[in-house]
Amino acid sequence: MVKNGECTKKHLFHILLVCGLSSSWTALGYNHSQSIGSDTHVAFIETYQGVYEYINKPLDQGDAEKYCEHKFASLLSESEGSHKLPKKMLLSYQWQHPTWLKRKNPSEERIMPLRALLFKSKTDTKYARLLVEFQPLAEVTVCAYVQWKSTNGDFQTIFSYAVPDFFNEFQLRGITDKDGFIRFAIIVHGQHTPYSVMFEEDGRWHHFCVTWLKLNGTWTLYADGKQKATSTKLSASQDIIKGGRFIVGQDQDSFGGTFKKKESFSGNITGLNMWSKVLNNDEIEQVRSCRLLEKDLIFSWNKQQLEIEPTLQETEIPFVCPGNSKECRILHTNEERLDYAPCVTKLPFVCYYTHDVYQRLQNIKRQNEEPTFSKSVNVIVNRTLIPENFLTGEIHQFNVSEAAVCLQAIQRLMETKVSTVEPSDLLGIIQFLKNVAYLEIQSDPKALEDLSHHFVQVAGTIIEQYDVDLWSEVNPIIKGPMTLVHTVEKMASNLVQLLSDEKKEIAIHHRSIEVGIRQVDLNADSLVYTVQSNEKVDQIEVSNEEIKRIIEDGHKKVALVNTWFDFEAFQQLFGNYNTFDFIPKDSATSDGGHRYIDTSLGSAVISSTLLVGDQEVSTSVQYNLSHQNKLLNSSEKLERAVCAFWNFSLSLEKGGSWSSSGCSVKKKFPETITCFCNHTTNFAVLLQIYEVQRSSEEEWTLRTLTFIGCGVSLSALLVTLVLFLAVGVPKSERTTVHKNLIFALAAAEALLMFSELAKTNEVVCITVTACLHLFFMAAFAWMLVEGLLLWSKVVAVNMSEDRRMGFYYITGWGLPIIIVSVTLATSFKKYVADTHCWLNVQTDIIWAFVGPVLFILTVNTFVLFRVIMVTISSARRRSKMLTPNCSMEKQIGIQVWATAKPILVLLPVLGLTWLCGVLVHLNVVWAYVFIALNSFQGLYIFLVYAIYNSEVRNAIQRMKEKKKALSFTNCSHPTNYLSSPRSTLWDTGKASTASPSSNISEHLPVKNIAGKGNIVVKHPVNISSIMPSDKTAVELTAFKTSVF
């Protein structure tokens, strides 16, 4: 479709070409439309992959990306995913020029070897001279890279050009001001400009350019690609005189000499080039990006000669080119190949629309053929600044005054509600706000501040459009409501240039939006921004430690930009726009008590950005926000507050998503929450909603059973440990392992019982959590040692007992200490859970416990399996040997019991009962089973290790005999209590004849048992009280069998 009457050959060619190809495209399933404007040729191509809009308006790569974004599209990308290149279509339209492609990642910076001159200190000797025969110059540009080194406050001469009759013909000087900024001044024919701020004294390389034009005496200073100062009437009477000498680093007080130390340059310089013309902004950006312009070049740093004073050091450096020196991907449409080109090159490009966005734009266009609101605004402004057709309308250029008038018109019409705001109107306003945010304003600070006030008022009025249907249509097109936040932040960052010693703070307020920009006082204890528009205290803080780090990095002038968006207004923008997919659905069901349902925004959105020049400095922050409780007194659902930030790199098709990475809850109150995040961006509090799967009575019962079980278990463990230490149980590998396991488990359960008392004190809570982590890890580590010890009795191990015990201690205590230490050192900020003193299960920290435990349980499961196989095999052989005529049923029974015995005895001690934990979320019954098996683990150990352990019982019996013997010390013939045959029996009750070892032990001297304890290690103890005295091949005694 042709929208104007221009009939140039080019346009006619395209129209005829499209008409001629229409049948073939239709046959292939392609639809196309065409619109021709005065400056831009636009063509839409619709394929099964998406819709492509060709923009025949050359722009650099960055501006091309912004252009497409402002039209709610994206720059064409490579053949990855759904963005495949329609090369044949592009060739069919005879698009001969290369076309920009979207960057997937920032390109590598260009590194060039450059020779640099090192002026290490001020001297009156060191200099470099350009070996050039200069002609008269009516205009000139000099550019170079400089690394500044401050001195005692005197000015420094970067370069000077002198002629025989006049020594200050052309010169550039610099000085460091009291705020740490470098200021430059130009001298032409002896006339001196004011000193203008160029860049911060930060020890980095900076690019500068100075231009002068005889016509009107116009001079301009550039620093790092940006214009810093300009004016007129600087020696407009004559050309710069020919035949002079150009000296780098010294001020010439005579023709080519008479240097003064205090006026010399101190620092490093490289890349100095000179032209006999005034370079424009684009050319200066190219030069800054290490691209040499050959036209009108007088002196080239790399190609021409320098006369260098012998003591001046010269070196070659790998120079990283700044600015847009990067290479960007292009498509050569005529050759169907991909290539690279400098990102600053101006090329045509293609905008890509998804089918969904394109169809939505088409539907909005059809529904609102006559956009009353947009037309009213354009009539007031007397220009078409709000497009009435998004697909074919252009993005118009405008100045500050036109933008201010337009914003005032929008605000007035929206507040008076003269015209209804339709989706097309809202899209037009958002598009216009984007353009205003990227409007470059080099002068007139008052106009920029007034424009920003109007900008914030319009943005605030927009988010107060309480129309869910309106936002549901607009959000998928603009990629979500956070697009507005990003646009407001971009506008706020433009105000940083207005800050000065006289104006250190700028504040803009609206009912629903608040913006604050201020110059950072680096001597302050902290940087706190408190919202004024809210009755409740919302604030964000940068700590003193972060300020010190900024100072240590050498930054002297830092600006802080804060924004705040009211919850009541902002939550309407989200509506059904789902941006909460980051929540792991299984993270909240680890105990089976709750099931995750949904996540919603629960607070205002607040942000903090530290800027050094144009560069953002990331710091950790702490913020406090009021949050809304949506489930008051609900017994079926509950809420959990989550500290989160908006990550623009997630879910790119939605414009980003919420994430909790690097953020944690510090303090939580009924209506407010304090969060910590290790970076700066947009923050909020999200509310996770869970369905309660257990009643409060069940929760109370489980907590009570856990407390009782831990109490009983702790008491039993302590008694067992005392018995092992007090009654003189013979020392061995087994008893040493048992003691360590009992101690670790007892310490862990004692801390667990009273951990709730520590959660009110942050330091104590972290300490308790670390100790719980350590002792539970140690308990499992010693359970692993129990398995390894049992394995050593099954498999021949060529290791002495002493070496084995060293290995066991390293495993039992060394590994837990290492794991806990590394976890604390690497993840201290997110180590503790939000609501209790235990590891944070919402982050990867929990794997510092779960990972090792799963490994230990896997190893011990394998050990138990091997023990069962050996036991069954031994039982089968013994059964055939002793009862060859035994029935099949009895043999099966013997084998079943041989299997059940090691499982019953070893399962809890090897920690395998913890495997029930993976079933807890299925049903509350498994929670009771898990608590019963693990809370009473200490009681089980007490029964097996103490009550039914004949070693302990024999030791107690010997103590009784000794006490009884001592009571007869007054007798003339005291009884030798050690001669009692009962003291030689290891089993309680009747002596067993099942094993030869029993008979041997009856004839051994009992004193050897008491003195050395070596028999206990070699001969097992039968647990006759819990096992029948059948003739099985394997008898498990405190986890050791007679055949091993």
Side-chain angles (χ1 to χ4, degrees):
M1 182 179 68
V2 179
K3 282 200 164 185
N4 58 25
E6 295 186 11
C7 296
T8 62
K9 291 182 180 179
K10 180 179 179 181
H11 291 163
L12 283 173
F13 172 79
H14 281 288
I15 295 170
L16 292 172
L17 181 62
V18 171
C19 293
L21 294 171
S22 62
S23 59
S24 62
W25 284 125
T26 305
L28 291 172
Y30 297 107
N31 295 321
H32 60 86
S33 61
Q34 183 172 297
S35 174
I36 303 172
S38 58
D39 299 321
T40 307
H41 177 264
V42 181
F44 286 92
I45 301 172
E46 186 173 1
T47 73
Y48 66 90
Q49 298 159 348
V51 180
Y52 301 87
E53 177 187 4
Y54 178 75
I55 312 294
N56 190 18
K57 179 180 182 179
L59 295 175
D60 63 41
Q61 205 276 346
D63 287 340
E65 281 200 16
K66 282 189 277 188
Y67 185 97
C68 292
E69 288 175 6
H70 292 177
K71 296 200 73 174
F72 311 113
S74 61
L75 191 64
L76 183 69
S77 69
E78 298 180 35
S79 55
E80 186 172 282
S82 62
H83 294 38
K84 293 184 179 179
L85 300 175
K87 298 178 183 178
K88 293 182 179 180
M89 290 180 286
L90 293 174
L91 289 172
S92 298
Y93 279 94
Q94 296 192 4
W95 294 336
Q96 299 298 321
H97 295 287
T99 302
W100 282 125
L101 296 177
K102 187 175 182 179
R103 283 181 287 184
K104 292 187 291 186
N105 295 306
S107 304
E108 292 186 2
E109 295 174 313
R110 175 178 295 181
I111 299 179
M112 293 184 61
L114 288 177
R115 59 174 175 171
L117 302 179
L118 310 182
F119 296 85
K120 294 185 177 180
S121 61
K122 280 178 167 284
T123 67
D124 57 2
T125 57
K126 295 180 180 180
Y127 72 92
R129 177 188 166 197
L130 276 58
L131 300 179
V132 176
E133 293 293 332
F134 288 96
Q135 300 301 315
L137 295 173
E139 53 184 305
V140 66
T141 299
V142 179
C143 297
Y145 301 97
V146 65
Q147 199 172 31
W148 199 267
K149 182 179 179 181
S150 288
T151 53
N152 55 6
D154 295 327
F155 73 82
Q156 299 186 39
T157 305
I158 297 97
F159 65 78
S160 64
Y161 176 80
V163 294
D165 297 331
F166 200 82
F167 306 145
N168 290 329
E169 181 67 6
F170 181 38
Q171 189 177 129
L172 181 64
R173 294 177 172 180
I175 192 169
T176 306
D177 65 17
K178 60 183 178 62
D179 295 322
F181 285 87
I182 310 303
R183 295 174 176 265
F184 280 6
I186 307 170
I187 298 176
V188 178
H189 303 319
Q191 294 187 20
H192 198 297
T193 68
Y195 280 99
S196 303
V197 174
M198 295 291 284
F199 47 81
E200 185 180 0
E201 185 208 349
D202 53 12
R204 300 177 181 177
W205 284 101
H206 291 277
H207 185 259
F208 74 85
C209 287
V210 52
T211 69
W212 176 80
L213 179 66
K214 184 178 75 171
L215 181 64
N216 295 327
T218 303
W219 62 271
T220 307
L221 287 171
Y222 295 86
D224 297 323
K226 293 188 177 181
Q227 181 179 305
K228 294 296 183 178
T230 185
S231 188
T232 58
K233 299 180 181 180
L234 177 64
S235 298
S237 59
Q238 60 178 331
D239 295 345
I240 293 176
I241 301 172
K242 69 175 182 177
R245 290 187 176 180
F246 194 106
I247 301 293
V248 178
Q250 296 287 353
D251 180 13
Q252 305 175 60
D253 287 342
S254 65
F255 182 60
T258 315
F259 307 141
K260 294 180 180 178
K261 179 179 179 180
K262 67 176 184 178
E263 297 174 352
S264 63
F265 174 69
S266 177
N268 305 321
I269 193 166
T270 187
L272 189 146
N273 298 286
M274 189 173 181
W275 294 265
S276 60
K277 72 168 186 176
V278 172
L279 302 184
N280 59 35
N281 292 350
D282 291 339
E283 290 172 326
I284 285 176
E285 182 58 37
Q286 290 185 51
V287 172
R288 176 177 175 248
S289 304
C290 304
R291 304 186 188 282
L292 186 64
L293 302 177
E294 298 287 349
K295 187 177 180 182
D296 300 315
L297 185 66
I298 300 175
F299 175 81
S300 171
W301 186 258
N302 288 330
K303 295 182 179 179
Q304 292 176 267
Q305 294 297 314
L306 279 170
E307 176 189 307
I308 301 175
E309 192 271 332
T311 62
L312 177 59
Q313 185 178 350
E314 180 185 13
T315 185
E316 187 174 280
I317 60 172
F319 188 79
V320 179
C321 297
N324 294 318
S325 62
K326 301 171 183 176
E327 302 279 341
C328 295
R329 293 283 271 178
I330 59 172
L331 169 68
H332 287 284
T333 55
N334 56 338
E335 301 176 19
E336 297 190 40
R337 67 181 177 87
L338 300 176
D339 199 357
Y340 286 92
C343 298
V344 294
T345 309
K346 295 186 181 297
L347 295 175
F349 54 96
V350 175
C351 295
Y352 169 82
Y353 299 82
T354 64
H355 280 294
D356 179 64
V357 170
Y358 185 74
Q359 290 302 322
R360 287 177 182 274
L361 289 171
Q362 292 278 37
N363 293 337
I364 289 174
K365 175 185 173 183
R366 284 192 294 267
Q367 294 169 8
N368 194 15
E369 292 287 350
E370 297 294 330
T372 307
F373 184 92
S374 299
K375 284 186 175 181
S376 300
V377 173
N378 293 332
V379 167
I380 295 173
V381 182
N382 199 25
R383 274 197 66 188
T384 305
L385 295 183
I386 305 297
E388 299 173 14
N389 189 327
F390 300 99
L391 294 175
T392 58
E394 284 193 57
I395 297 177
H396 297 276
Q397 300 295 322
F398 47 81
N399 56 36
V400 177
S401 59
E402 290 174 330
V405 172
C406 187
L407 289 172
Q408 291 179 67
I410 294 171
Q411 182 183 352
R412 185 164 61 251
L413 289 174
M414 292 185 74
E415 289 179 348
T416 56
K417 298 183 180 179
V418 174
S419 302
T420 304
V421 178
E422 300 292 339
S424 61
D425 301 318
L426 188 56
L427 287 174
I429 296 170
I430 293 173
Q431 185 186 77
F432 179 71
L433 289 177
K434 283 185 176 182
N435 295 333
V436 173
Y438 284 92
L439 186 64
E440 292 190 6
I441 306 172
Q442 296 293 342
S443 57
D444 200 354
K446 182 68 167 60
L448 175 57
E449 188 170 352
D450 290 342
L451 181 67
S452 301
H453 278 275
H454 297 310
F455 185 97
V456 172
Q457 299 304 314
V458 170
T461 307
I462 285 176
I463 70 172
E464 290 178 347
Q465 298 296 308
Y466 298 125
D467 189 335
V468 176
D469 294 333
L470 176 67
W471 286 108
S472 64
E473 290 191 54
V474 169
N475 269 331
I477 297 174
I478 68 173
K479 293 187 177 180
M482 294 301 290
T483 298
L484 274 175
V485 174
H486 181 67
T487 305
V488 172
E489 288 179 339
K490 178 64 180 72
M491 187 67 204
S493 65
N494 294 337
L495 296 174
V496 171
Q497 60 184 298
L498 304 184
L499 298 177
S500 63
D501 291 339
E502 294 73 29
K503 191 179 186 67
K504 295 186 176 181
E505 186 172 358
I506 299 172
I508 304 175
H509 299 277
H510 181 270
R511 294 181 301 272
S512 301
I513 297 179
E514 194 170 303
V515 175
I517 306 98
R518 59 172 160 158
Q519 191 170 301
V520 173
D521 180 6
L522 296 178
N523 295 319
D525 292 335
S526 62
L527 303 176
V528 181
Y529 174 74
T530 303
V531 176
Q532 305 296 323
S533 305
N534 193 10
E535 295 179 358
K536 300 174 182 178
V537 179
D538 287 355
Q539 66 178 26
I540 190 165
E541 175 184 358
V542 179
S543 66
N544 179 259
E545 288 76 14
E546 293 293 339
I547 297 175
K548 290 180 180 178
R549 184 174 64 82
I550 293 171
I551 297 173
E552 290 172 357
D553 291 341
H555 303 305
K556 294 184 178 179
K557 190 171 184 180
V558 183
L560 178 66
V561 179
N562 296 109
T563 62
W564 174 85
F565 295 82
D566 181 52
F567 166 73
E568 296 295 339
F570 201 67
Q571 66 171 334
Q572 304 295 327
L573 275 68
F574 281 94
N576 296 323
Y577 192 72
N578 183 16
T579 54
F580 306 105
D581 297 334
F582 81 97
I583 300 297
K585 298 281 193 299
D586 58 347
S587 65
T589 59
S590 59
D591 64 348
H594 313 106
R595 183 177 64 84
Y596 171 77
I597 298 177
D598 194 15
T599 301
S600 63
L601 183 67
S603 72
V605 176
I606 196 168
S607 74
S608 177
T609 306
L610 279 169
L611 295 175
V612 178
D614 294 332
Q615 301 298 317
E616 181 177 336
V617 179
S618 182
T619 64
S620 60
V621 297
Q622 180 174 300
Y623 62 94
N624 186 79
L625 291 174
S626 304
H627 62 86
Q628 306 293 322
N629 189 353
K630 299 181 179 181
L631 303 175
L632 292 173
N633 301 321
S634 174
S635 60
E636 298 180 355
K637 296 180 180 179
L638 60 83
E639 289 179 336
R640 176 177 173 271
V642 178
C643 299
F645 72 98
W646 187 264
N647 190 336
F648 286 94
S649 63
L650 298 177
S651 303
L652 296 178
E653 70 283 356
K654 295 181 179 180
S657 178
W658 292 108
S659 173
S660 60
S661 177
C663 296
S664 59
V665 175
K666 288 199 69 176
K667 296 179 183 178
K668 189 174 181 181
F669 304 98
E671 294 184 353
T672 61
I673 187 169
T674 301
C675 301
F676 173 86
C677 288
N678 59 12
H679 49 76
T680 51
T681 182
N682 304 287
F683 305 101
V685 174
L686 305 182
L687 296 178
Q688 291 179 325
I689 302 175
Y690 300 97
E691 180 183 0
V692 178
Q693 293 187 311
R694 295 181 192 148
S695 65
S696 57
E697 292 79 9
E698 288 175 330
E699 290 288 344
W700 182 87
T701 302
L702 290 172
R703 282 197 301 269
T704 304
L705 284 176
T706 301
F707 191 83
I708 294 173
C710 286
V712 172
S713 197
L714 176 61
S715 302
L717 288 170
L718 292 176
V719 171
T720 306
L721 186 60
V722 169
L723 287 174
F724 267 90
L725 296 174
V727 302
V729 176
K731 293 182 179 180
S732 66
E733 280 184 317
R734 264 184 313 110
T735 56
T736 302
V737 171
H738 298 342
K739 290 174 187 177
N740 281 277
L741 172 59
I742 292 169
F743 174 76
L745 201 56
E749 293 193 352
L751 283 169
L752 182 63
M753 289 180 63
F754 301 102
S755 61
E756 288 297 303
L757 301 177
K759 65 182 182 181
T760 55
N761 187 300
E762 183 179 2
V763 176
V764 176
C765 188
I766 293 174
T767 304
V768 169
T769 301
C771 291
L772 277 171
H773 189 191
L774 173 63
F775 286 117
F776 268 117
M777 275 305 310
F780 276 98
W782 283 106
M783 292 177 196
L784 174 63
V785 172
E786 291 278 5
L788 296 176
L789 180 61
L790 187 60
W791 180 264
S792 70
K793 308 304 178 182
V794 177
V795 181
V797 178
N798 296 323
M799 186 183 294
S800 66
E801 181 176 331
D802 292 338
R803 291 179 62 189
R804 276 205 307 267
M805 282 312 303
F807 173 73
Y808 291 159
Y809 274 112
I810 292 174
T811 303
W813 291 111
L815 288 181
I817 290 173
I818 292 172
I819 291 172
V820 174
S821 300
V822 171
T823 307
L824 275 171
T826 57
S827 307
F828 182 78
K829 296 293 185 182
K830 52 183 180 179
Y831 185 70
V832 182
D834 297 338
T835 57
H836 53 277
C837 299
W838 178 237
L839 300 179
N840 191 345
V841 297
Q842 299 300 322
T843 64
D844 293 335
I845 294 299
I846 191 61
W847 287 101
F849 176 72
V850 174
V853 167
L854 290 177
F855 171 76
I856 291 169
L857 295 181
T858 302
V859 172
N860 282 356
T861 300
F862 181 74
V863 170
L864 179 62
F865 176 76
R866 181 63 183 271
V867 170
I868 292 172
M869 296 303 295
V870 172
T871 304
I872 293 173
S873 176
S874 179
R876 186 184 297 117
R877 290 195 304 270
R878 185 178 184 122
S879 176
K880 289 180 179 180
M881 183 173 57
L882 298 180
T883 55
N885 299 323
C886 183
S887 64
M888 181 63 67
E889 290 79 4
K890 189 171 182 180
Q891 290 184 16
I892 293 174
I894 292 172
Q895 293 183 21
V896 169
W897 179 240
T899 304
K901 270 198 302 183
I903 293 177
L904 292 174
V905 173
L906 296 175
L907 199 64
V909 181
L910 295 181
L912 300 182
T913 54
W914 283 74
L915 291 172
C916 296
V918 300
L919 305 174
V920 164
H921 68 281
L922 298 177
N923 194 288
V924 71
V925 174
W926 285 108
Y928 287 106
V929 173
F930 180 76
I931 291 173
L933 289 176
N934 293 287
S935 294
F936 293 93
Q937 186 177 11
L939 180 61
Y940 177 87
I941 291 174
F942 170 71
L943 294 174
V944 175
Y945 283 11
I947 300 300
Y948 298 116
N949 188 340
S950 57
E951 290 179 346
V952 175
R953 297 175 67 177
N954 286 339
I956 295 173
Q957 182 65 29
R958 287 195 300 272
M959 290 181 65
K960 290 181 179 179
E961 295 287 348
K962 185 176 181 180
K963 185 177 180 181
K964 183 177 179 181
L966 291 174
S967 65
F968 293 99
T969 55
N970 293 328
C971 298
S972 58
H973 300 287
T975 303
N976 185 357
Y977 69 95
L978 293 176
S979 63
S980 173
R982 285 178 296 179
S983 62
T984 65
L985 295 178
W986 292 353
D987 298 332
T988 59
K990 185 178 179 180
S992 174
T993 60
S995 174
S997 60
S998 300
N999 297 328
I1000 294 172
S1001 63
E1002 289 183 3
H1003 303 286
L1004 290 175
V1006 181
K1007 60 180 180 180
N1008 291 341
I1009 300 175
K1012 296 183 181 180
N1014 55 345
I1015 305 301
V1016 176
V1017 178
K1018 296 181 180 179
H1019 299 281
V1021 180
N1022 297 327
I1023 311 177
S1024 57
S1025 300
I1026 59 172
M1027 301 181 189
S1029 58
D1030 52 359
K1031 308 296 183 180
T1032 57
V1034 180
E1035 295 180 356
L1036 293 170
T1037 71
F1039 326 123
K1040 185 176 180 183
T1041 61
S1042 58
V1043 289
F1044 298 159

